[in-house]
Structures are given as structure tokens and as C-alpha cells.
Amino acid sequence: MNLESLLTNHFLRFIFPFVILIVFWVFIKPLISTNTRENADKERCETAALIKEKSIIGVVIAKYRDKRDLRHFAYRRGKVRVDNSFFVLEGSDTYDHIQVGDSIIKEKGSFVVKLIRQDSVYTHTLDYGCK
């Protein structure tokens, strides 16, 4: 082997991993990202369909975030505590307006949430970004 071919082989061994990385980043990464985004959208819309069919009626007794910083609240329906994750994938500001002590009502088949606080009624619409 002459010096020129040695330099070329060494150069190719050094550059080849970078070429592979660039090919991956340009062609394969966008495909993976799109699938991840589509899966997240699908999960959010499936969650929205489930939540639309649930009803809430009670008094808010707790509002908290879990270890992953996801938004939850609990309400009391009679003597039963109900923990709830309606707001984990939801995008409106409804969760920010909920206060402990509020009466909360959401009818089955609707995304409208009513918060009753003292003599005021606040109406919010849940938004999951689905059609």
C-alpha cells in the first residue's frame, strides 16, 4: 500500500460515521418524529372521546401535579373521592381556574365545564385539539 491509499482509507474511516449520522438525521429522524407526533395526537383525541362521555358533579377537594408535572384534580361526589386526569392532555386554561371548594359540573357528551364559586358561575370548554 502506498501513502496515498493509506491516507484515503484512514480519512474514509474517520468520515464514514459522520456521513451515516447526517443521513440518519436528514432522512430517518423526520419519519420518527412524525410518527411520534401522530401517536401523541391520536392519544390526545382518544382521551378526548373518553372524557366527553364522562360526567362530573361534585366539589373540588384537591388540585395537584404528579411526578411528571401532569395536571390532576380530585372532587368529592357525596362521600366518594374521585381522582381525575381530565387535564393531562387538555389545552385550555380551565385547570388554572379551578380552585379547591369550587362545585364542578360536566355533563356527559359535552366538553363544557361549569365551576360554581360563591355566587358566580364560570363556564369553560375543554380543548384537546381534535375535530
Side-chain angles (χ1 to χ4, degrees), residues 25-80:
W25 194 261
V26 170
F27 295 105
I28 298 173
K29 176 106 171 65
L31 294 175
I32 294 170
S33 297
T34 300
N35 288 337
T36 303
R37 227 180 356 260
E38 287 172 0
N39 289 342
D41 291 344
K42 182 180 176 186
E43 181 181 355
R44 187 174 40 258
C45 292
E46 288 172 354
T47 299
L50 291 172
I51 288 171
K52 187 174 185 179
E53 294 309 311
K54 295 190 182 236
S55 66
I56 297 176
I57 187 164
V59 177
V60 177
I61 58 174
K63 181 178 166 180
Y64 58 94
R65 292 184 181 259
D66 66 12
K67 292 177 184 176
R68 297 178 298 168
D69 201 32
L70 300 176
R71 305 174 301 173
H72 301 272
F73 76 98
Y75 64 95
R76 189 159 308 284
R77 179 181 246 166
K79 294 184 179 186
V80 177

Side-chain angles (χ1 to χ4, degrees), residues 1-11:
M1 244 191 223
N2 63 20
L3 181 60
E4 187 177 317
S5 66
L6 264 175
L7 287 175
T8 304
N9 281 338
H10 191 58
F11 179 75

Side-chain angles (χ1 to χ4, degrees), residues 93-110:
D93 62 352
T94 305
Y95 181 82
D96 298 330
H97 291 274
I98 293 174
Q99 293 181 6
V100 172
D102 287 352
S103 294
I104 186 168
I105 300 169
K106 183 197 141 332
E107 294 180 5
K108 181 179 179 177
S110 173

Side-chain angles (χ1 to χ4, degrees), residues 72-126:
H72 301 272
F73 76 98
Y75 64 95
R76 189 159 308 284
R77 179 181 246 166
K79 294 184 179 186
V80 177
R81 176 188 169 115
V82 180
D83 284 288
N84 161 325
S85 58
F86 277 25
F87 299 102
V88 168
L89 299 173
E90 198 270 334
S92 75
D93 62 352
T94 305
Y95 181 82
D96 298 330
H97 291 274
I98 293 174
Q99 293 181 6
V100 172
D102 287 352
S103 294
I104 186 168
I105 300 169
K106 183 197 141 332
E107 294 180 5
K108 181 179 179 177
S110 173
F111 285 120
V112 175
V113 174
K114 292 181 184 175
L115 301 173
I116 303 166
R117 183 178 309 140
Q118 297 168 351
D119 293 333
S120 300
V121 177
Y122 303 94
T123 303
H124 297 272
T125 302
L126 301 177

